[in-house]
Amino acid sequence: MTIAFKIKDPKFFVRADNAEGHSPDPRSYFNYIETVQTIVDYLKERFGNEFRLYEQDDGNEIWNGLEEDVHHEYEGVEHAASIYDLVETRAFAYTADLGQNSESYTVCPAVRNNLFIYPKHRVAMARVPRVVQHGLGY
């Protein structure tokens, strides 16, 4: 099994090569430091300048805003790439309007495991999954 970290024009930053039929080793596949460095290198190559990492410690408002932008297909946000090829990259939602007697499903990129860019503002957002005690967290 090999783990490929891609930069140029990635569909996925981290891809497990399962041609031999082996399961990837979670310690090497979910290498948080190498994955974040690959994303930072991609952004530097694409925009020609350094990007800094930030966290939001007072809630999830910024992530909720990104989710709304993605769900409503706001033209100012771009889905640049997905991060891990063996982790879900899309989300679906069911909506029902009882007054109109209608229902629908929407499918769009998930906030987790994807890199989104607001190119006009040179802001990039990614919730990178990582292995925690009982599965995946971010």
Side-chain angles (χ1 to χ4, degrees), residues 3-52:
I3 306 294
F5 291 88
K6 298 183 175 189
I7 294 180
K8 273 289 182 202
D9 210 6
K11 182 174 182 174
F12 292 98
F13 286 107
V14 181
R15 193 178 265 298
D17 181 6
N18 284 338
E20 300 170 21
H22 300 293
S23 296
D25 174 24
R27 291 179 307 251
S28 60
Y29 184 75
F30 289 106
N31 184 332
Y32 182 81
I33 294 169
E34 192 166 357
T35 301
V36 170
Q37 186 62 58
T38 301
I39 294 169
V40 168
D41 291 345
Y42 167 79
L43 293 169
K44 182 178 181 181
E45 182 179 306
R46 178 166 171 189
F47 290 100
N49 62 302
E50 299 286 334
F51 275 72
R52 294 188 179 181

Side-chain angles (χ1 to χ4, degrees), residues 55-68 111 125 127 138:
E55 71 167 321
Q56 180 183 6
D57 62 357
D58 61 348
N60 288 315
E61 290 82 14
I62 195 165
W63 299 107
N64 294 339
L66 173 62
E67 188 172 40
E68 287 295 314
V111 170
M125 299 175 67
R127 272 202 155 162
Y138 52 86

Side-chain angles (χ1 to χ4, degrees), residues 84-90 110 112-114 129 136:
Y84 295 105
D85 67 338
L86 297 178
V87 177
E88 64 276 0
T89 59
R90 305 198 49 86
R112 182 173 89 163
N113 195 38
N114 285 300
L136 293 177

